[in-house]
Amino acid sequence: MSERGGALRGQFKQLMREVAKFGAVGGAGVFVNLAVFNLVRATTEIPVVRASLVANAVAIVFNYLGYRYFTYRDRDKSGRTRELTLFLLFSMVGLVIENGILYAATYGFGWDSTLQSNFFKFFGIGVATLFRFWSYRTWVFQALPAPETVRTAESFRGPGEREHHQGGEQNRGGEPGRGGGRQPRQGRDADRDRVEVDRVGPRR
């Protein structure tokens, strides 16, 4: 029971560290998102939702770099194409959630002042972040197997597989250029004696 409790505490601490790193990158991403959103609205005549889409595009690039090289830098990096594809896919879902809320507030209820737009923009980001956290850690940045898992998998290997593996390691330690390992000295001496007997012939 104590070992199980220790494992649960370790997993909880790891999750809290992950949440803190995700929040740090996400918080910086929110700042980038809102800054670009207000900059576009202040300097152009682009409508509210389109300005939000521009801000989302910049924030998605920023967030990927932060998540990949800070939050999840210890995760599997082998399938980078798959990772990018899934990241963009789930980011698009988050974009729909975020801008759907902003669209409903702006065009459904007429809440389109600067303060109201920023409020519902921020609220949409919060809802979309919950989805992104779940999807990124589950599907995009997958964890490598823990050493304990690898040892457990090794323990399930059959005796025959382990003996074959050990035998292969012993054979690799033999003389170079020969299929098997080194022949014992006693075996080589016996072979030499048989050759000498055959050459001399049977003794009378």
Side-chain angles (χ1 to χ4, degrees):
M1 181 64 70
S2 60
E3 293 181 358
R4 184 177 180 182
L8 290 175
R9 285 193 297 271
Q11 292 176 0
F12 180 76
K13 289 180 180 179
Q14 182 178 358
L15 178 62
M16 289 299 99
R17 287 194 296 268
E18 181 181 340
V19 170
K21 289 182 178 181
F22 189 94
V25 174
V30 169
F31 176 80
V32 171
N33 197 336
L34 291 175
V36 174
F37 173 67
N38 284 280
L39 179 65
V40 172
R41 289 204 65 194
T43 58
T44 68
E45 297 297 329
I46 296 178
V48 174
V49 177
R50 293 183 184 179
S52 179
L53 292 175
V54 173
N56 282 143
V58 177
I60 285 173
V61 175
F62 176 86
N63 287 341
Y64 176 77
L65 295 176
Y67 292 141
R68 173 71 275 175
Y69 297 105
F70 178 68
T71 305
Y72 298 112
R73 60 185 176 185
D74 58 338
R75 297 292 180 94
D76 185 17
K77 301 180 181 67
S78 59
R80 188 58 60 87
T81 301
R82 171 188 172 279
E83 176 184 289
L84 277 171
T85 302
L86 290 176
F87 181 84
L88 291 175
L89 175 62
F90 291 122
S91 295
M92 291 301 104
V93 175
L95 182 147
V96 171
I97 295 173
E98 175 183 334
N99 290 283
I101 294 174
L102 181 61
Y103 182 91
T106 302
Y107 298 105
F109 297 93
W111 297 330
D112 57 355
S113 68
T114 301
L115 179 61
Q116 290 171 333
S117 295
N118 278 278
F119 173 80
F120 287 104
K121 171 74 172 173
F122 184 80
F123 179 73
I125 291 174
V127 176
T129 297
L130 296 176
F131 169 78
R132 290 178 179 129
F133 177 72
W134 169 80
S135 60
Y136 291 167
R137 75 183 305 269
T138 305
W139 300 103
V140 181
F141 303 107
Q142 294 185 333
L144 293 170
E148 293 79 5
T149 305
V150 176
R151 287 195 292 269
T152 302
E154 288 288 337
S155 66
F156 282 101
R157 295 176 63 180
E161 294 181 0
R162 288 196 293 269
E163 291 176 0
H164 176 74
H165 179 69
Q166 294 174 356
E169 292 181 349
Q170 292 176 357
N171 289 337
R172 286 195 296 271
E175 296 178 357
R178 297 189 180 182
R182 294 183 178 178
Q183 186 180 9
R185 175 174 293 276
Q186 294 179 356
R188 293 199 299 271
D189 293 342
D191 291 341
R192 187 170 59 252
D193 292 341
R194 283 196 296 272
V195 171
E196 292 178 356
V197 170
D198 292 340
R199 186 182 303 168
V200 175
R203 296 179 181 178
R204 298 181 181 274

